[in-house]
Amino acid sequence: MKVLTVIGARPQFIKAAPVSRELRKYDEEILVHTGQHYDRNMSDIFFEELSIPKPDYNLEVGSGNHGWQTGQMLIKIEEVILKEHPDALLVYGDTNSTLAGALAAGKLHIPVIHVEAGLRSFNMKMPEEQNRILTDHISSLLFCPTETAVHNLKNEGISQGVYHIGDVMFDAVLQNINAAAQKYNMNSILSRLNVIGELGRNRINIEKITPKQYYLATIHRAENTYGYEKLKTILKAFELLDLPVIMPVHPRTRKIVEDNVGRRFNNIFFVEPVSYLEMLYMTQNARKVITDSGGLQKEAFFLGTACVTLRDQTEWVETLTDNWNVLSKIDHNEIVSIVIKEKRINVNNAAHKFFGQGNAAKKAVEIIRQIKPEGRRAAI
Ligand code: UD1
């Protein structure tokens, strides 16, 4: 069987790593990188660190408005499908690369396999929500990470081809956390962190930052980075926190801060995007994570680090259990009080209960192999 996998953004490289390794034991995989993320530290580093095979095609689409970016991908993925004649097309998550892959295959009656199906924020203004709903509705095989995701699909009338397999990101964390701990310690990480000089004129005072004595923050969602107002509120809150904030900066966020900032930050250490293993290490050792990322909320939960999510809603409602993850509005007083106040009840968290046993990729591949492509074709 020949599976054409489409990936393009940072979280998809992480999700694809365990599935691709499993899939290639039995089947042929053609890997297509759309080029949505293209900087070395947003792309290549993940392929190297996670031993993901080199893409067979790099579409080099790059950045642009949503319509343009998705359209370019659609045109180019269709060309690859017509050349390769795959039996199925595999996509992950909710990015523009996901939707473009699903749409290109769906229109050519190639069965679509969606890993991380059924997630919903119920906020249709989010590009990710539009991408995931549309992708789910043209998919033949839908692999759900949680029971909640299965339930969401059922509410939209989708029950055929739906499988609850657990979360491939949990697989990835379990497979890599020991390597992260072996490769890094606090000093080695901090000395490697390249502080972005123009943003924070401070240099990291390594003495000051020890395990559990810093917050780890990432902000990149369109809703928080559209214009500077919300981002300004978030950064103001970070300046008021009781511990230093290490913030690996997504290029979108960096551009907005650089264009608007005319001040010095004293408590925020802006650093270049870090690698997956570095991020795992820093997440496990942070006092708390503060983020608007979907993936990082979960990684914090998997690793037993409390999280504050700067959004009005989360797709990963399981992480809210026992206040491991707490949502905050974009209000500097609310952010500060939620981060500083220890709301989490200190019980063992339930990653295994909600996100599977770390064998989601194996399960996905078993199901893909059991169900003949023709059968899935008929389902379209
Ligand atoms: C995308 C996904 C989001 C995911 C995120 C992970 C969509 C709609 N959103 O958002 O769901 O959580 O990836 O990071 O697909 N840029 C660079 N270098 C890069 C990549 C991006 O400079 O390597 C800059 C560009 O200026 C670009 C901006 O970042 O305009 C945003 O990139 P974009 O492709 O729009 O998506 P993300 O914001 O990363």
Side-chain angles (χ1 to χ4, degrees), residues 214-220 224 234-235 237-239 241-248 267 279 283 286-293 296-297 300 305-311 325-330 334-336 338-340:
Y214 66 91
Y215 298 114
L216 177 64
T218 73
I219 304 295
H220 79 277
N224 285 334
I234 293 168
L235 298 179
F238 289 178
E239 283 288 89
L241 288 175
D242 55 334
L243 293 173
V245 178
I246 302 182
M247 185 167 164
N267 197 44
M279 199 62 182
T283 302
R287 169 76 65 87
K288 280 190 185 180
V289 161
I290 312 168
T291 190
D292 60 5
S293 151
L296 189 55
Q297 286 171 57
T305 300
C307 180
V308 177
T309 295
L310 304 184
R311 286 178 53 195
N325 185 13
V326 180
L327 303 180
S328 172
K329 294 215 171 331
I330 308 303
E334 182 167 332
I335 296 171
V336 171
I338 290 179
V339 172
I340 292 179

Side-chain angles (χ1 to χ4, degrees), residues 9-11 36-39 42 62-64 66 69 94-97 127-128 131 220-221 250-252 255:
R10 197 163 51 169
Q36 179 170 353
H37 287 175
Y38 44 86
D39 290 343
M42 296 285 287
S63 307
H66 284 270
Q69 188 183 53
D94 57 18
T95 72
N96 291 340
S97 300
E128 292 84 359
N131 291 341
H220 79 277
R221 289 269 171 205
H250 184 287
R252 173 212 288 278
K255 190 168 182 322

